[in-house]
Amino acid sequence: MSHSPTMTVKGMAGWLGHLMIPRRSDYAGLRTSWRRDLLAGVTVGIVALPLALGFGVASGVGAGAGLVTAIVAGAVAAIFGGSHLQVSGPTGAMTVVLVPVVARFGADAVGLIAVMAGVIIVIMGVLGMGRLVSLIPWPVVEGFTIGIGIVIALQQVPLALDLPKPDGENSLLVAIDALRVVDWAAAAQPLALVALVIAIMVVTTRLRRNLPASLIAVAAATVAALVFSMDVDRIGALPTIFAAPSLPAVELADMRTLLSAALAVAALGALESLLSARVADGMADDIGRTESSRELVGQGLANVASGLLGGMPATGAIARTAVAVRAGARTRVSALTHAALLAVVVLVAAPLVAHIPLSALAGVLIVTAARMVNIRTARSILRSTRRDGVALLVTVVVTVAFDLILAVEVGVAVAALLALRSVSKVSGLRREEVPAEIGAEQEHDLLHEHIAVYRFDGALFFGVTRRFLDELSAAVDLRVIILRLSSVRLMDASGANALAEFIVDKQANGVTVLLKGIQPDQRRLLESVGVFDSLRTRKHVFTSMPEAIEHARSHVRRELDGEPPMVPERRH
C-alpha cells in the first residue's frame, strides 16, 4: 500500500510528537507515590549539591556552571526524557571530556559545545540510535567506568594541593606535573581537609547508608576551615547564574573545530545516559522501561537548555539515579524535586556556598571516583575469559592514557576481534571417512572409490575463510567431495563466496562437489552469492546422506566408464 507525501509528513510529525511531547502517562501512579518521590528528590538534591559544585570546578567552567547544569538539565531531561527515574546533571565522565576541551578552547566555548552536542543527541534520538548501546560488551562498559574513576581521581590532585591546574590535557601528566612543583608545607592544610572529608564520608556511609555523607563532610570541612582560619582556596562568590540565554560569537572556522569536540560530548552524553537508564530499569522492575529514543531526545534538549543558560554538557548520572531509586522514587517528580531544591539553594544559600574549600570538593570527588572502581566486578571479568579480561584492561588503559570516546571505540573493536577469533577457533572443517548414516562396513569401499565427506562446524565467515580454503584445497586423490553444512550456525558473504570459489576450483580439476544439509535461512545467501550456480547442477544439493553417497558413487562409475564431467560457467 502506497502512502501519499501528506501522509508521510503527518507520520513524521506524529513520530516527532511522540518523542518530544510530555504525556499524562509519565506521571502514572503519582497520587500514591508523590510523598516518596518528594523525599527521594530531596535526598538526591542533597547528594547532588557538592557533586554539581565539584564537577563544575573540576571541569574548569566554575561551580556556578555546575549548579546551572544540575538545575536546568535535571529539570528538562526529567520532563522530556524517556526514563521515569533518571536524574541528570554534570557527571565525572563528562568532566573528563571537558577538561581538555576547556584547555584547548576556553571556558566560554563550553556552552556552545553543549548546545551543539544537544542538537546531535536529539538527531540521534530521532534516528532511533538508542538501541546501539546494547551492542557495547559488558567488559568494555566496566573498563570504561573504572577508567573514568581513575581519571577523576587524577584530576583532583591539583585541587587537593591548592595548586593552579598545570597546562595540559592528559590528567595523568597534569597530576605528575602538580606533584613535581608542590610546596608540601603549604599543601598541608588543604590535604588535611581532603583527609577529613574522605574519613567522614567513609565512616558515615558505614554507620548509616542513607545519610548524605558528602554534604555532611563538606559542611564539616567548611566549618573547620572557618574555625581554624585555614589559608585554603574557596569557591568564592557565585556569579549570577540565571542569566538570559546567550552564546559566544564564534567564527565559522572555529565552529568546524568545535564540532569535533561536540561530537565527542554527544557520543559520551548518549552513552552514559542510556547506561544510567539501563541501571535504573534493572533496579526498579515494576516501573516502565526506558524509551531509549525518547531519552536521547530529552537529554539533547537538556544540553541545549543548559548551554544557553550558562551551564555545561549534562548526562544521566548513574550514582544519583541509583540514590533516587533506593530512596523510593517512582516517577520523574523525584528528579524535578532534586532540580527545584538546588535552585532554592542557589537563591537562598549562595553566601554559604562561597565559603566551601575547593579541597573539600576534591575529597568528595576522590571518594566518588573510588566507588566507581568495582574491584569485585573487575576480578570476576578478569577470571572469566582471556578475551574479556583483555577488553577490560585495554579499555581502562586507553581511557586513562587518551580519552573516553577512543576507549569505547578501541574496547569494542578489541572485544569484537577477540570474539571473532574465538568463534573461528571453535569453527572447523572435519573429514568424516564414514558418515553415521552409511555404516562402518562401507568405509573401505568409500576410500577405494575416492569419495570424501567433510563436515563444517560452527561458523563459516570472513574470520575463517582462508583456513577453510587451505584445508579443503589440501585434499588430494579424490573424485567426489560431499560437504555437510547442517552444523553451520553462522555464515556471511565471505564464507559463502569462499565456498563458491572452492566448488569452481575443484570442479575445474575434475572433482565433483555435492552439498548436503543446507540450513533454510542460509539458502538466500548462497543463492545471491552464486554457490548454487557454481555446482554442475542444482541436483547436487541433498537433504539426506544416503542419497548424497549414492549420487557420489554414480559419478565415480560414470567417470570410470569414460564420461567427462560438465564444468559450469561461473556467473558473475
Side-chain angles (χ1 to χ4, degrees):
M1 178 178 173
S2 62
H3 297 279
S4 66
T6 303
M7 289 294 292
T8 302
V9 172
K10 287 183 178 180
M12 179 60 70
W15 168 245
L16 292 177
H18 176 76
L19 289 179
M20 296 184 177
I21 298 176
R23 314 163 196 166
R24 183 185 296 271
S25 60
D26 291 342
Y27 302 92
L30 183 60
R31 290 184 179 181
T32 58
S33 69
W34 65 271
R35 290 184 179 86
R36 286 183 295 171
D37 286 322
L38 290 177
L39 179 60
V42 171
T43 303
V44 177
I46 292 173
V47 171
L49 176 60
L51 292 176
L53 296 171
F55 289 137
V57 173
S59 63
V61 293
L67 283 175
V68 168
T69 308
I71 296 168
V72 176
V76 174
I79 295 171
F80 294 98
S83 171
H84 296 294
L85 303 173
Q86 181 95 283
V87 178
S88 301
T91 64
M94 191 59 73
T95 300
V96 172
V97 171
L98 288 179
V99 167
V101 170
V102 172
R104 184 177 179 185
F105 302 109
D108 291 340
V110 170
L112 179 59
I113 290 175
V115 173
M116 295 169 66
V119 173
I120 295 170
I121 296 173
V122 169
I123 294 173
M124 293 171 66
V126 172
L127 295 178
M129 296 176 67
R131 305 182 201 91
L132 295 179
V133 72
S134 62
L135 301 179
I136 301 176
W138 178 47
V140 175
V141 174
E142 290 299 327
F144 173 80
T145 305
I146 293 171
I148 290 173
I150 295 172
V151 173
I152 291 174
L154 292 171
Q155 288 177 346
Q156 306 319 306
V157 172
L159 280 179
L161 300 172
D162 263 5
L163 288 176
K165 180 179 173 295
D167 293 333
E169 298 181 6
N170 185 276
S171 298
L172 177 60
L173 298 179
V174 168
I176 293 173
D177 288 341
L179 293 174
R180 285 174 178 171
V181 301
V182 64
D183 180 352
W184 292 104
Q189 290 187 351
L191 286 175
L193 293 179
V194 171
L196 176 64
V197 168
I198 294 175
I200 291 175
M201 290 185 68
V202 171
V203 173
T204 303
T205 302
R206 290 183 177 179
L207 291 177
R208 194 168 181 179
R209 293 186 61 86
N210 59 352
L211 289 176
S214 58
L215 187 64
I216 293 172
V218 169
T222 303
V223 171
L226 292 172
V227 170
F228 295 102
S229 300
M230 289 185 173
D231 184 18
V232 293
D233 292 336
R234 304 171 193 273
I235 289 178
L238 295 178
T240 303
I241 62 173
F242 294 112
S246 64
L247 286 175
V250 179
E251 298 292 335
L252 180 60
D254 294 333
M255 283 285 290
R256 293 172 181 170
T257 306
L258 291 174
L259 180 60
S260 62
L263 287 170
V265 169
L268 176 62
L271 172 65
E272 190 176 13
S273 296
L274 293 175
L275 289 176
S276 175
R278 191 167 74 180
V279 170
D281 290 342
M283 294 179 66
D285 295 332
D286 57 329
I287 307 299
R289 309 294 288 183
T290 297
E291 298 177 51
S292 58
S293 295
R294 187 183 174 199
E295 179 63 19
L296 289 182
V297 170
Q299 292 293 337
L301 295 175
N303 275 276
V304 171
S306 176
L308 289 174
L309 294 174
M312 54 192 274
T315 73
I318 296 176
R320 274 158 277 173
T321 300
V323 169
V325 176
R326 285 197 296 263
R330 285 297 177 268
T331 73
R332 56 191 72 211
V333 168
S334 59
L336 288 170
T337 303
H338 133 273
L341 177 65
L342 292 177
V344 171
V345 170
V346 170
L347 295 173
V348 176
L352 295 178
V353 171
H355 295 290
I356 296 176
L358 294 178
S359 54
L361 298 179
V364 171
L365 296 185
I366 289 172
V367 175
T368 302
R371 289 173 177 169
M372 294 178 72
V373 180
N374 191 323
I375 300 298
R376 180 180 299 177
T377 300
R379 186 183 294 118
S380 65
I381 293 175
L382 292 173
R383 290 176 176 175
S384 58
T385 65
R386 179 177 296 178
R387 67 174 183 272
D388 290 324
V390 170
L392 173 77
L393 294 175
V394 167
T395 306
V396 171
V397 171
V398 177
T399 300
V400 176
F402 297 99
D403 62 70
L404 304 185
I405 306 304
L406 180 63
V408 173
E409 293 171 349
V410 172
V412 171
V414 168
L417 289 174
L418 293 177
L420 290 176
R421 184 170 178 265
S422 298
V423 171
S424 68
K425 282 186 175 181
V426 299
S427 303
L429 179 71
R430 301 180 183 179
R431 180 168 179 173
E432 295 185 331
E433 304 294 359
V434 184
E437 297 94 329
I438 300 303
E441 68 279 358
Q442 299 188 36
E443 176 181 6
H444 181 270
D445 293 338
L446 282 175
L447 294 175
H448 181 71
E449 295 168 20
H450 307 287
I451 298 172
V453 180
Y454 287 91
R455 186 184 81 218
F456 285 106
D457 292 318
L460 184 59
F461 69 116
F462 71 91
V464 297
T465 52
R466 177 46 51 194
R467 179 160 57 90
F468 146 66
L469 284 173
D470 292 342
E471 291 182 25
L472 278 181
S473 298
V476 295
D477 198 25
L478 295 175
R479 292 178 176 173
V480 180
I481 292 178
I482 302 174
L483 300 180
R484 302 182 67 187
L485 305 177
S486 55
S487 297
V488 176
R489 298 291 177 254
L490 171 67
M491 184 185 298
D492 68 357
S494 297
N497 183 64
L499 179 61
E501 289 179 351
F502 168 77
I503 293 172
V504 170
D505 178 67
K506 282 300 179 184
Q507 292 182 157
N509 288 281
V511 180
T512 299
V513 179
L514 310 180
L515 304 181
K516 182 265 174 185
I518 296 174
Q519 299 289 339
D521 59 342
Q522 295 167 2
R523 281 187 172 272
R524 182 177 178 181
L525 171 62
L526 295 175
E527 179 76 52
S528 62
V529 172
V531 171
F532 296 136
D533 293 324
S534 301
L535 297 168
R536 287 176 176 165
T537 171
R538 296 208 173 204
K539 294 180 180 180
H540 285 180
V541 179
F542 301 90
T543 57
S544 72
M545 184 55 68
E547 292 179 0
I549 291 292
E550 180 56 36
H551 204 88
R553 284 178 165 159
S554 70
H555 271 280
V556 173
R557 286 194 295 268
R558 285 198 299 270
E559 289 182 16
L560 292 176
D561 291 339
E563 296 181 17
M566 180 180 65
V567 180
E569 294 183 2
R570 179 78 184 274
R571 187 173 68 181
H572 297 284

